[in-house]
């Protein structure tokens, strides 16, 4: 299934990472095979206050979606060519999708099938179809995207449909006599949806049929309290009538065809016959040496299913090995123990866990692991006290002899062995060789990719929903009473299971704390790891063990890379931070990835298809050990990174808007690494800015925090053109406020003027005309004082843009003429293009159409001299639109249409009368 909206919005092979393109995708998917107007999409994305660039930006989003949609055109496209499903259809766009490619269409089909079967009283078929429909859901509908009015309405409708299907599936299963199996699910659903009376009715019926009449009555009273407290209403007639039937022991509520139940065996003994005799001739029976399973194990449904399929497949296969890898605290051991406990009936001869590290966290030798495993298989049966080799023969001194005994002990037996916390392939190869007939689960912080003929399952952090469920299960009522605080705690813990358990246990152990108070304690990154400690549960110690497992070079890289910009970084950033070339940086980062100290995040179709990032808690550890072990390296590494960002941002900006950045000629020491802008940015400067936007903003903040005033101003100025083109107002304001402060702290008048001019552009785009005029005029004054006539002249054009938008065309025309005079005297082609464009707009506004066309031709010539292709296309596009309007005898309306006042930026002016010649 290629498209999914029943949960997080996704499509294969890749989903757009930016929120607004995903919102466009979601809107088109929900209304597939229906034309969605441009106005509806703009309203969905920006509401009542769209930016001036809304139409242009929407076209960019559609273009990005079309490229993503053709990223995997399939084998058929080799002969017929890829088929674009996203079509332009006036007045908007149409998404054409095969029914089987969209989970919503499949869901509605299965829902209809289940309802029809239910109507025919074919309850088995109904339950099956409705279960398949529910299985398509992966979370709340249309999650992961910002909701406008249309998506919000659709999400509410779809979630209600899901609840309706769930209730009908339960009704069908109750009619099939599955009340015993439904009780647990219904209890959870009634708790989750306390105001849905149908669920409470189903739960009462299920409990009554299980002989739990008093519990059924209790459910009614709990439902009534919820309805009265929350809504001020009494239960409806269906629920009230059901109460009367339960009190009267109505025989029609009873299930009359009770199905036979097969009891599953419990425990290790009595399953599969007696155990195989041991070396000494004793019949030991099955051996189970496992820690208790976690009682509140939460989530990991897909991973459990994967492990269970492996354990259930081909019992005659030799050396079935599954390696569970993941970072420290990911819950590898808990998952392995859960699988081992659940698989008791498949391994009647024993299930044993062996830890491969000593009490100090150091890896044990292979011989020690073999010996421990053999002792447990020869030792105490299930249920007896755990001790030593009571009554067993002493073990031989050599590793080979111990392996031989272990091989004989396990040969031909159905056994499951768990090797916990393996340090390397070399540590466990002797054990795997000694137990070829056994199934083995291995947990490790390393990937252990050199092992032959094994299956791998990498554990990441929990999903947001699973993390919040784990906090609710472990944190008690105070955690459940404050879901917003639980959501924040899950985020601050990086959804790492160990951290979540420690946080929840800390709250449960302190009755005077609240969930909100715990979240407040975790917000400070510098003290977060210290707060995640309780007794012998210590997140820092667990993570630190993984850090100490790698060599010194990798540890140094781990410390320094914690300074990389969030949320992730490209390889060139690592090279700049580590002051090395990209090949060496790649070697070190990949070593950290194998040790699960760093994440490699695939980004297909991007300039940098693989990026690197830290788990939130590992980044905290990185900064902590940097401050402890080599604090002197931090400032220099930050400066190297900022200089690398500046070199690449200037390279990209010079290709987007040549001559725009007035700080581009400011002398800055070069980055210490051999960075090639052409190699990193290539011919896609806009894509580079899009991919590095978050990192660039973070670099501005880091430069300001470290007192690198000049770098802070230069970085913000180099990014301003991209912020304007993309209408990224929040990032624009945040970075330039810091840069303005940096310029004033350093007394750099020229940098202050540059930043003020850019902030004036921002205020103008936000329709804050008074603020824009103030900033333009102050910037003009500072440029004049500094002696930068070129920049001062450009300020006049910017001020004229504001005046034009206010309808003061005469004043605007004088300002444009003054700006043109300055730019021509300074031989500033870009400034001339800006001023000529303004004079053309004034002429068009006043009905002087031939003069407007002449000015636009001059603007195009000046833009060609400046080498700015966007401005060349802008002049050509504007002149063409004007000629078309004149040729179609619509000259009277030309002066009142919206003006594209700068490339991609429109002014919507009030209509004004235009005089015609008699």
């Amino acid at each position: 299934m290629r498209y999914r909206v029943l949960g997080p919005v996704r499509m294969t092979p890749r989903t757009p990472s930016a929120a607004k393109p995903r919102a466009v995708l979601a809107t088109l998917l929900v209304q597939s095979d229906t034309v969605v107007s441009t106005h509806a999409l703009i309203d969905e994305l920006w509401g009542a206050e769209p930016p001036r660039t809304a139409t242009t930006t929407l076209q960019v989003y559609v273009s990005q979606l079309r490229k993503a949609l053709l990223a995997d055109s399939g084998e058929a496209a080799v002969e017929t060519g890829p088929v674009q499903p996203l079509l332009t259809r006036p007045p908007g766009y149409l998404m054409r999708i095969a029914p089987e490619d969209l989970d919503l269409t499949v869901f509605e089909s299965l829902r209809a099938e289940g309802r029809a079967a239910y109507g025919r009283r074919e309850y088995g078929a109904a339950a099956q179809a409705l279960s398949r429909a529910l299985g398509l859901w992966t979370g709340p509908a249309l999650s992961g995207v910002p909701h406008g009015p249309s998506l919000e309405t659709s999400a509410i409708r779809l979630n209600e449909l899901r609840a309706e299907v769930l209730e009908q599936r339960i009704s069908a299963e109750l009619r099939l006599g599955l009340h015993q199996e439904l009780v647990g699910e219904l209890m959870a659903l009634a708790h989750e949806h306390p105001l849905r009376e149908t669920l409470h009715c189903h739960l009462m019926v299920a409990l009554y049929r299980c002989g739990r009449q008093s519990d059924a009555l209790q459910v009614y009273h709990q439902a009534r309290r919820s309805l009265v407290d929350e809504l001020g209403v009494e239960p409806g007639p269906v629920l009230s009538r059901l109460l009367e039937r339960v009190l009267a022991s109505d025989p029609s509520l009873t299930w009359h065809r009770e199905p036979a139940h097969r009891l599953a065996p419990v425990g290790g003994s009595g399953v599969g016959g007696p155990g195989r005799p041991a070396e000494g001739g004793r019949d030991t029976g099955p051996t189970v040496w496992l820690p208790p399973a976690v009682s509140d194990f939460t989530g990991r449904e897909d991973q459990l299913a994967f492990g269970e399929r492996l354990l259930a497949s081909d019992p005659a296969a030799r050396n079935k090995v599954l390696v569970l890898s993941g970072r420290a605290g990911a819950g590898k051991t808990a998952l392995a123990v859960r699988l081992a406990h659940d698989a008791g009936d498949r391994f009647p001869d024993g299930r044993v866990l062996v830890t491969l590290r000593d009490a100090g966290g150091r890896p044990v030798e292979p011989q020690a692991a073999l010996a421990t495993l053999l002792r447990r298989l020869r030792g105490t049966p299930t249920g007896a006290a755990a001790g030593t080799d009571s009554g067993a023969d002493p073990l031989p001194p050599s590793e080979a002899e111990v392996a031989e005994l272990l091989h004989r002990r396990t040969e031909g037996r159905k056994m499951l062995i768990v090797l916990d916390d393996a340090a390397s392939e070399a540590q466990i190869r002797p054990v795997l060789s000694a137990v070829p007939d056994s199934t083995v689960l291995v947990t490790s912080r390393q990937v252990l990719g050199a092992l032959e003929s094994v299956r791998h399952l990498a554990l990441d952090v929990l999903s947001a929903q699973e993390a919040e469920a784990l906090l609710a299960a472990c944190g008690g009522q105070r955690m459940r009473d404050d879901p917003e605080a639980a959501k924040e705690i899950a985020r601050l813990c990086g959804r790492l299971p160990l951290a979540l358990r420690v946080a929840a246990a800390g709250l449960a152990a302190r009755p005077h704390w609240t969930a909100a108070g715990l979240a407040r304690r975790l917000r400070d990154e510098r003290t977060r790891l210290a707060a995640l400690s309780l007794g012998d549960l210590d997140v820092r110690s667990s993570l630190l063990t993984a850090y100490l497992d790698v060599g010194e070079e990798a540890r140094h890289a781990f410390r320094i890379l914690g300074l990389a910009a969030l949320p992730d970084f490209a390889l060139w950033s690592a090279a700049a931070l580590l002051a090395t070339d990209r090949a060496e940086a790649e070697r070190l980062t990949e070593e950290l990835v194998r040790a699960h100290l760093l994440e490699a995040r695939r980004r297909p179709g991007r300039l940098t298809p693989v990026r690197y990032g830290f788990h939130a808690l590992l980044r905290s550890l990185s900064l902590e050990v940097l401050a402890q072990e080599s604090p002197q390296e931090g400032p220099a590494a930050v400066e190297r990174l900022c200089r690398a960002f500046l070199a690449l941002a200037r390279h990209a900006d010079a290709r987007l808007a040549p001559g725009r950045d007035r700080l581009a000629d400011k002398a800055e020491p070069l980055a210490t690494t051999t960075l090639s802008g052409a190699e990193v940015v290539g011919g896609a400067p806009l894509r580079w800015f899009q991919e590095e936007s978050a990192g660039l903003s973070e670099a501005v903040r880091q430069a300001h925090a470290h007192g690198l005033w000049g770098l802070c101003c230069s970085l913000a100025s180099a990014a301003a053109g991209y912020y304007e083109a993309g209408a990224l107002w929040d990032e624009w304001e945040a970075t330039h406020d810091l840069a303005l402060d940096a310029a004033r702290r350093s007394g750099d008048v020229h940098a202050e003027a540059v930043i003020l001019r850019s902030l004036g552009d921002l205020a103008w785009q936000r329709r804050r005309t008074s603020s824009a005029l103030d900033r333009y005029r102050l910037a003009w004054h500072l440029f004049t004082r500094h002696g930068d006539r070129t920049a001062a002249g450009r300020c006049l054009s910017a001020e004229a843009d504001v005046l034009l938008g206010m309808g003061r065309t005469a004043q605007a025309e004088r300002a444009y003429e003054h700006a043109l005079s300055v730019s021509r005297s300074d031989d500033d082609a870009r400034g001339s293009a800006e001023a000529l464009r303004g004079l053309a707009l004034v002429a068009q506004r006043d009905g002087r159409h031939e003069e407007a066309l002449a000015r636009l031709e001059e603007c195009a010539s000046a833009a060609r001299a400046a080498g700015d292709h966007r401005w060349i296309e802008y002049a050509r596009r504007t002149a063409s639109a004007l000629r078309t309007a004149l040729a179609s005898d619509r000259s009277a309306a030309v002066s009142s249409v919206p003006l594209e006042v700068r490339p991609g930026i429109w002014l919507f002016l009030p209509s004004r009368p235009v005089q015609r010649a008699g």
Side-chain angles (χ1 to χ4, degrees), residues 206-470:
L207 289 169
Y208 181 84
R209 289 180 178 174
C210 292
R212 298 168 61 179
Q213 184 177 14
S214 60
D215 288 339
L217 296 173
Q218 184 63 36
V219 168
Y220 171 84
H221 293 299
Q222 180 62 51
R224 180 183 179 278
R225 277 196 298 273
S226 298
L227 290 166
V228 171
D229 293 344
E230 294 290 329
L231 305 178
V233 298
E234 290 290 335
V238 175
L239 188 58
S240 300
R241 174 60 183 148
L242 181 59
L243 171 67
E244 296 172 4
R245 294 173 67 191
V246 171
L247 289 170
S249 299
D250 186 342
S252 65
L253 286 178
T254 306
W255 173 248
H256 296 290
R257 291 195 303 123
E258 186 76 23
H261 295 283
R262 182 176 62 85
L263 294 178
V266 179
S269 57
V271 184
R276 174 186 169 97
E279 290 80 14
R282 300 185 307 273
D283 187 349
T284 61
T287 301
V288 178
W289 197 305
L290 296 171
V294 177
S295 60
D296 46 18
F297 187 93
T298 303
R300 301 289 192 209
E301 298 299 329
D302 291 343
Q303 293 86 348
L304 277 169
F306 180 88
E308 287 168 356
R309 285 196 300 270
L310 177 79
L311 298 182
S313 63
D314 192 8
R318 290 166 61 87
N319 247 141
K320 288 195 298 185
V321 182
L322 175 62
V323 177
L324 305 175
S325 61
R327 65 175 59 87
K332 303 178 293 295
T333 302
L335 178 62
V337 170
R338 170 67 180 270
L339 286 168
H341 276 285
D342 289 350
D345 56 340
R346 300 191 189 102
F347 300 99
D349 294 320
R351 292 160 289 145
V352 176
L353 180 141
V354 175
T355 301
L356 300 180
R357 292 180 185 263
D358 62 19
R362 294 176 293 273
V364 301
E365 293 296 324
Q367 183 175 353
L370 289 164
T372 301
L373 178 55
L374 184 57
R375 286 192 185 98
R376 292 185 176 176
L377 291 175
R378 296 169 61 184
T380 53
T382 304
T388 58
D389 287 326
S390 176
D393 299 328
L395 297 180
S398 73
E399 179 180 318
E401 290 175 299
V402 175
E404 176 61 25
L405 283 177
L406 183 59
H407 177 78
R408 293 208 305 269
R409 176 67 188 180
T410 59
E411 185 179 7
R413 303 182 72 190
K414 295 180 180 178
M415 302 197 68
L416 175 64
I417 296 169
V418 182
L419 302 177
D420 187 39
D421 208 359
S424 66
E425 294 90 340
Q427 184 189 32
I428 62 172
R429 273 201 180 96
V431 183
L432 297 179
S433 299
V435 291
D437 290 349
S438 300
T439 298
V440 183
L441 296 178
V442 182
T443 71
S444 178
R445 301 187 192 106
Q446 304 285 338
V447 176
L448 304 184
L451 290 175
E452 303 83 5
S453 303
V454 304
R455 303 287 295 276
H456 291 273
L457 179 59
L459 295 192
D460 202 349
V461 297
L462 298 175
S463 68
Q465 186 177 1
E466 290 172 336
E468 291 162 28
L470 180 59

Side-chain angles (χ1 to χ4, degrees), residues 710-727:
L711 271 175
C712 181
C713 296
S714 295
L715 282 164
S717 179
Y722 167 66
Y723 292 150
E724 180 174 12

Side-chain angles (χ1 to χ4, degrees), residues 36 120 129 158 164 231 243 285 324 464 504 546 602 641 700 773 833 891 918:
V36 183
R120 296 191 303 268
L158 292 176
E164 173 201 306
L231 305 178
L243 171 67
L324 305 175
R602 294 183 68 251
L641 178 63
V700 173
L773 285 173
S891 58

Side-chain angles (χ1 to χ4, degrees), residues 118 123 127 167-183 186 198-210 253-257 259:
Y118 192 96
Y123 300 119
E167 290 172 353
Q168 189 163 33
R169 190 219 83 203
I170 291 171
S171 177
E173 291 181 347
L174 282 172
R175 290 179 179 274
L176 292 170
L178 300 177
H179 41 270
Q180 186 84 37
E181 292 84 350
L182 285 170
V183 167
L186 281 168
T198 304
L199 289 174
H200 291 286
C201 287
H202 288 335
L203 178 55
M204 288 176 66
V205 171
L207 289 169
Y208 181 84
R209 289 180 178 174
C210 292
L253 286 178
T254 306
W255 173 248
H256 296 290
R257 291 195 303 123

